[in-house]
Amino acid sequence: MPELPEVETIRRQLEPLLIGRQIHSFQVMPGAERLLRGRAAFDIDAQVRGCTVTAVSRRGKYLSLQLDSDQVIVIHLRMTGSLRYRNVEHENEQFTRAVFRLDGNRELRFVDVRKFGTIDLVERLEDALPALGPEPLSDDFTADALWDALRGRLVALKSALLDQANVAGIGNIYADEALFLAHLHPECPAGSLRPRERSALHSAIRQVLQQGVQHGGASFRDYTDSAGDEGAQQYYVRVFRRTDEPCDACGTAIRRIIVGGRATHFCPTCQPVRQRSRQVTSKRRSR
DNA sequence: CGTTACCTGAAA
DNA sequence: TTTCAGGTAACG
């Protein structure tokens, strides 16, 4: 469920709460063992016991807790995962799948209805990450860097935005929103963008993600932050899940289509299919 | 490359 | 009862 702005919101909340805290134990609930991707809970528990959290970071949609043992806990929330920072006495959330017991009678709870989320323990962060594109809110993310990822590709532009190897952290909400802001049709070939469109897309991506962070993320269905509160970004979306509602730029009914297997929302007037898609040139060399 | 599987509950 | 879901990896 959570995309970059939601994970960043959680990171900002947890950072001051977790830094300096010692982990007393780690436990996985019965039936949720798969979230460790084959590793045994007792093994993780043995390694993190007594360790202190020294940093809380984010890369794309991954959250990581650096430990003073020089190991890193890497968490991905996938579709319905969330984290809760609670006092031990606080009522247990339904669908709690794993718990880090901390000093001061605190707990970090991993809650996840669908059990898609994962927790890894590694020596170096990169060991737990797949190939990821640039961080869209960092200086590394330039219009040129974006174009490097899109050039030569025939896939639907939206699918390219969802590919974490191109840009890290964009998900279904912010892909639709960025394309709306950039006036680009979600199905146009990724490699067909002209220079102005590339820079429009580049700034649209940054804008929607920044706005998402400012509003504490978007709570459409499941997302809540580490205190259990909702974000506000759902009140600011222009197209996402607004099927048949009037576009607030031009009044045209928002359309919903499926692109790359994902529900996709756009304004057919503000985001027209390009008359003649320009040739996709220079094939991109394989990474 | 597009499609399917992974899970489970809420909404239609 | 069926459809749908803020994601990704594994298919063919």
Side-chain angles (χ1 to χ4, degrees):
Chain A
M1 89 185 149
E3 308 180 29
L4 184 152
E6 289 73 33
V7 180
E8 178 61 19
T9 298
I10 293 167
R11 190 201 70 75
R12 291 181 182 188
Q13 292 178 325
L14 291 180
E15 182 171 54
L17 300 172
L18 293 183
I19 287 183
R21 286 245 173 253
Q22 192 179 49
I23 298 174
H24 283 184
S25 67
F26 173 72
Q27 169 196 7
V28 171
M29 303 335 221
E33 296 80 5
R34 268 177 23 117
L35 100 176
L36 296 182
R37 305 147 119 250
R39 287 190 66 178
F42 64 80
D43 179 37
I44 308 268
D45 174 57
Q47 305 223 48
V48 301
R49 221 170 244 260
C51 293
T52 298
V53 178
T54 59
V56 180
S57 315
R58 180 192 58 74
R59 173 81 173 96
K61 301 172 191 172
Y62 292 81
L63 189 75
S64 64
L65 312 183
Q66 178 67 50
L67 304 180
D68 61 351
S69 61
D70 283 334
Q71 289 189 301
V72 199
I73 296 166
V74 184
I75 299 171
H76 197 301
L77 301 170
R78 294 289 179 96
M79 293 286 266
T80 55
S82 64
L83 293 169
R84 284 303 138 80
Y85 181 81
R86 298 294 197 199
N87 217 294
V88 282
E89 285 87 27
H90 190 287
E91 183 190 8
N92 221 19
E93 282 79 7
Q94 199 180 9
F95 311 120
T96 297
R97 306 302 186 188
V99 179
F100 291 91
R101 182 71 192 273
L102 309 170
D103 60 2
N105 287 325
R106 307 293 171 141
E107 286 179 349
L108 183 66
R109 303 173 182 169
F110 182 90
V111 181
D112 186 6
V113 179
R114 293 176 74 181
K115 303 200 271 196
F116 290 167
T118 57
I119 299 177
D120 271 323
L121 180 67
V122 290
E123 299 287 320
R124 296 165 312 161
L125 175 61
E126 312 82 68
D127 296 340
L129 303 184
L132 292 178
E135 272 300 312
L137 297 183
S138 80
D139 293 341
D140 295 346
F141 185 62
T142 58
D144 282 345
L146 175 62
W147 182 238
D148 276 346
L150 302 182
R151 104 175 349 136
R153 306 199 47 199
L154 288 164
V155 264
L157 182 54
K158 173 165 179 185
S159 300
L161 293 185
L162 292 178
D163 185 342
Q164 303 297 296
N166 293 332
V167 186
I170 301 175
N172 214 27
I173 300 174
Y174 298 93
D176 283 3
E177 294 299 308
L179 290 170
F180 173 81
L181 271 199
H183 301 292
L184 292 168
H185 193 286
E187 290 179 300
C188 82
S192 70
L193 299 192
R194 285 156 290 173
R196 296 183 123 132
E197 297 172 319
R198 300 170 205 163
S199 78
L201 180 59
H202 168 257
S203 40
I205 289 169
R206 296 178 69 111
Q207 194 179 324
V208 296
L209 294 176
Q210 272 161 8
Q211 193 191 35
V213 173
Q214 274 170 16
H215 292 141
S219 298
F220 279 95
R221 195 195 197 70
D222 301 303
Y223 169 73
T224 47
D225 64 23
S226 60
D229 297 326
E230 298 190 339
Q233 177 63 15
Q234 66 276 19
Y235 302 121
Y236 298 86
V237 295
R238 314 290 296 275
V239 290
F240 187 76
R241 289 202 199 163
R242 294 193 56 204
T243 312
D244 295 335
E245 288 179 39
C247 167
D248 42 42
C250 75
T252 306
I254 302 299
R255 289 247 299 272
R256 178 185 185 276
I257 60 175
I258 303 296
V259 178
R262 311 295 305 277
T264 298
H265 314 76
F266 72 106
C267 170
T269 302
C270 297
Q271 301 164 265
V273 179
R274 291 235 262 353
Q275 294 306 349
R276 284 195 342 152
S277 306
R278 197 241 226 162
Q279 295 286 337
V280 172
T281 49
S282 61
K283 180 76 186 164
R284 184 178 181 230
R285 69 277 175 258
S286 55
R287 256 178 310 98

